[in-house]
Amino acid sequence: MAAKDFETPANIFAEQAVLGMMLIDQDAAALGLAALSEQSFSGRDERNVLVFRAMKSVEEKRSPVDLQTVTNELINANCFESAGGNDYLRQLLDVPMSPENIEHYIRIVNDQAVLRDFLMKMRDGILEYRKAGEFKDVGEFLARYTADLTRISGKRSVGEFRTAEVVARAVEKMLEAEGQRSANGITGVDTGYTDMNRLTHGWQKGDLIVIAARPSVGKTAFAINLAVNAARKTGKPVAFFSAEMSADQIMKRIISSESHVTGDDLLAPMYLDARRKAQVASAIDHIATYPIYFDDTPNIRLGDLLAKARKLKGAHEDLSLIVIDYLNLITTEHQESRALEVQQISMSLKELARSLKVPVIALAQLNRASDLNPKGVPTLANLRESGSIENDADLVLLMYRSDYYQNQAQGKGAQNGEKNYRERLEESVEQGKKEVGDKASMSITEVRVAKNRNGALGTCYYLFSKAYSRFDMPDDETRRAIAREKNEPMADPEE
């Protein structure tokens, strides 16, 4: 068998898929550059080797790997045309694969490389045998080539395992990419609130975030604010599943929040004066540009929710956030016990976040036992129906409004350490009422980050206007007072 008759195995489509995903996604580029080398590519299509070499060179210069930087590198190396030019780079970008699947295609490329090495070593042994005619020591010959074949087969990943070196290099590149993208300290989806961003650095890919509160505290309104903030600030799609309210009802809340026209007034639009009608019209024009997708199926089944989320992700690769209102209303096929059902739901939502690499915010109900806590302040133990919610969540936010428990708080006053900033918050509420009228129903809401798997814990304070379904941060002076009292650094003011 002559060498020219021997064609080494290769999967050209997998090579193209990997390169295309690396061109459009920084995380995919980090994984590809950590797990592959030039030798991983077959050379059957020399253009793939040249494009990867350019990516490696861009990375060594500490620049982000993207279409422009790779194109410039190919031009500087005088191999732009040899690499296929603009036509081939566009072809790579058009490969219909999600960057979330890059590890699968990396394994295919690496497996083909291992197979090529294996077959080439076997071929070399056969050619050496044919050339020699016979061996004086067959055992030595077999031992030598068996050792070589064992070494080559050891290069293949077993199952889903990756070596510490591969993982460390991938994380190193991700950190470098995040450092370039997040000068403001936000590495995930912007929450819209600087204090919350300081604690979380934004909603992170793959995280399950649970927001829990007693009924009527404002968790749905807060979730709507977060969804709107994400869509407005990122310009990327947001999915909003509402098992309790219709999409029309949610939209009225958004319009009220954006227009500063109360929800009550929107119930009777025929009585709106010209100024407020103009405010509503302007708000609707802006909201219409927000890429928010609603599903208001009541008591949605878990399987349907997961399928719809994956379908939306397939249609919109840049899906930035999934919001679910709320976890306790999702149903499953089997209902042996509600605790087991909730456990299945929380585990599935966590897996959804990880597999889609999208943050998932799920609202949850606190049990009535929280009413018996001092001043009604909730704890993680008050998550209703299953402890698995706390276990599966990466972040747990607990919402609390003191006016919700006025009957318990009357006459007790504030703690000495809280007096200054609480007085300032009360003054902010009173000032807000004077500006927009008592019907604004403004109150102080605390959102406590009670669990943060990868970050800090702390409490954020917001002024909640129930009439507008709107959460706003207190002014800078009040926030500075809070920071002083709690001996915490103050986040930079919102831009």
Side-chain angles (χ1 to χ4, degrees):
M1 180 173 60
K4 65 182 180 180
D5 298 325
F6 184 81
E7 187 175 76
T8 57
N11 189 322
I12 302 302
F13 178 78
E15 293 179 10
Q16 293 174 331
V18 166
L19 294 174
M21 288 183 272
M22 291 173 69
L23 281 173
I24 64 175
D25 186 88
Q26 290 291 306
D27 290 343
L31 284 172
L33 290 167
L36 299 171
S37 67
E38 280 191 42
Q39 290 67 40
S40 303
F41 294 83
S42 63
R44 184 84 62 79
D45 189 332
E46 184 66 20
R47 295 176 298 181
N48 295 339
V49 178
L50 293 175
V51 171
F52 183 82
R53 185 182 298 162
M55 290 179 171
K56 198 73 176 176
S57 181
V58 168
E59 176 217 12
E60 290 169 356
K61 295 175 181 177
R62 304 285 182 178
S63 297
V65 173
D66 56 35
L67 179 62
Q68 189 59 55
T69 57
V70 171
T71 297
N72 292 342
E73 188 61 34
L74 288 169
I75 292 172
N76 293 337
N78 294 319
C79 59
F80 182 65
E81 296 302 327
S82 301
N86 286 322
D87 289 342
Y88 190 61
L89 291 176
R90 278 196 296 268
Q91 182 181 333
L92 293 177
L93 291 174
D94 289 338
V95 173
M97 292 296 149
S98 165
E100 318 299 343
N101 299 322
I102 189 168
E103 292 184 65
H104 172 70
Y105 288 94
I106 286 174
R107 282 196 297 275
I108 293 175
V109 172
N110 271 331
D111 281 353
Q112 292 293 305
V114 170
L115 184 58
R116 284 195 300 274
D117 287 349
F118 196 91
L119 293 177
M120 291 295 288
K121 183 57 67 175
M122 290 179 65
R123 187 197 68 167
D124 292 345
I126 293 170
L127 291 177
E128 183 180 349
Y129 173 77
R130 292 180 63 181
K131 182 178 180 181
E134 62 176 338
F135 292 104
K136 294 180 180 179
D137 192 337
V138 175
E140 180 182 344
F141 169 79
L142 292 175
R144 184 172 80 249
Y145 278 97
T146 298
D148 288 339
L149 294 176
T150 300
R151 175 182 54 79
I152 292 169
S153 62
K155 294 179 181 179
R156 187 179 184 276
S157 298
V158 180
E160 300 296 322
F161 288 109
R162 288 184 288 159
T163 67
E165 180 184 10
V166 169
V167 176
R169 295 303 179 195
V171 171
E172 178 186 32
K173 293 175 178 62
M174 288 178 186
L175 291 174
E176 290 174 358
E178 292 292 357
Q180 294 169 355
R181 293 201 297 258
S182 58
N184 57 359
I186 301 175
T187 56
V189 177
D190 196 333
T191 70
Y193 302 105
T194 55
D195 284 3
M196 188 62 72
N197 284 337
R198 176 172 59 82
L199 292 174
T200 65
H201 302 290
W203 311 127
Q204 303 298 317
K205 290 181 179 180
D207 275 3
L208 172 61
I209 301 114
V210 172
I211 301 176
R214 292 292 289 141
S216 301
V217 168
K219 59 182 180 294
T220 295
F222 189 53
I224 292 172
N225 277 236
L226 295 176
V228 170
N229 290 345
R232 182 198 297 120
K233 288 180 173 292
T234 68
K236 296 178 180 179
V238 172
F240 198 105
F241 290 91
S242 176
E244 189 172 35
M245 297 175 61
S246 70
D248 292 346
Q249 290 173 314
I250 296 170
M251 182 53 65
K252 285 181 180 178
R253 289 195 177 196
I254 297 175
I255 293 171
S256 175
S257 175
E258 298 284 290
S259 68
H260 292 272
V261 173
T262 69
D264 284 343
D265 288 339
L266 290 178
L267 291 176
M270 69 288 295
Y271 298 122
L272 293 177
D273 57 29
R275 178 180 61 83
R276 287 182 296 171
K277 284 182 179 178
Q279 289 174 215
V280 170
S282 176
I284 290 174
D285 287 343
H286 282 95
I287 295 166
T289 67
Y290 299 161
I292 305 177
Y293 296 81
F294 298 96
D295 184 286
D296 57 3
T297 304
N299 299 314
I300 188 169
R301 289 189 176 275
L302 176 62
D304 293 339
L305 186 151
L306 300 177
K308 289 178 179 181
R310 292 192 174 100
K311 183 177 180 181
L312 186 62
K313 173 68 173 179
H316 300 276
E317 292 294 341
D318 56 348
L319 181 66
S320 64
L321 181 66
I322 297 172
V323 180
I324 300 168
D325 181 20
Y326 61 96
L327 183 150
N328 304 82
L329 289 181
I330 300 172
T331 60
T332 64
E333 290 297 332
H334 66 161
Q335 303 176 5
E336 204 172 308
S337 75
R338 183 55 184 167
L340 289 176
E341 191 174 25
V342 171
Q343 181 179 14
Q344 180 187 353
I345 292 167
S346 65
M347 290 175 62
S348 298
L349 294 183
K350 174 57 184 172
E351 177 55 32
L352 178 71
R354 287 191 60 187
S355 62
L356 298 188
K357 295 185 179 179
V358 172
V360 173
I361 294 177
L363 307 191
Q365 200 90 281
L366 291 172
N367 59 35
R368 290 179 179 174
S370 62
D371 296 342
L372 304 178
N373 296 344
K375 296 186 180 180
V377 178
T379 68
L380 289 172
N382 299 131
L383 282 169
R384 188 174 179 180
E385 295 175 320
S386 175
S388 64
I389 298 176
E390 176 190 348
N391 294 333
D392 293 328
D394 297 283
L395 279 90
V396 178
L397 310 183
L398 302 178
M399 297 181 66
Y400 171 75
R401 276 189 13 231
S402 59
D403 60 335
Y404 183 83
Y405 295 97
Q406 279 182 349
N407 60 326
Q408 298 181 33
Q410 283 178 351
K412 294 185 179 180
Q415 300 287 333
N416 290 336
E418 298 178 346
K419 183 177 180 181
N420 290 341
Y421 72 80
R422 283 196 176 279
E423 285 182 350
R424 290 183 181 277
L425 286 170
E426 295 290 354
E427 289 171 4
S428 297
V429 169
E430 292 305 315
Q431 181 61 33
K433 288 182 178 180
K434 289 178 182 178
E435 292 176 0
V436 298
D438 286 342
K439 65 180 179 179
S441 303
M442 295 183 72
S443 62
I444 302 163
T445 301
E446 301 178 17
V447 179
R448 182 162 64 94
V449 181
K451 177 184 177 182
N452 189 351
R453 200 186 299 276
N454 300 306
L457 305 180
T459 303
C460 300
Y461 296 84
Y462 302 106
L463 303 180
F464 174 42
S465 174
K466 191 172 183 179
Y468 299 136
S469 296
R470 184 181 179 93
F471 285 81
D472 291 295
M473 293 180 61
D475 58 44
D476 292 345
E477 185 178 354
T478 303
R479 292 168 60 232
R480 288 191 186 94
I482 296 172
R484 284 196 300 270
E485 294 293 341
K486 291 184 166 290
N487 195 27
E488 295 176 348
M490 178 183 143
D492 293 331
E494 285 187 299
E495 295 181 358

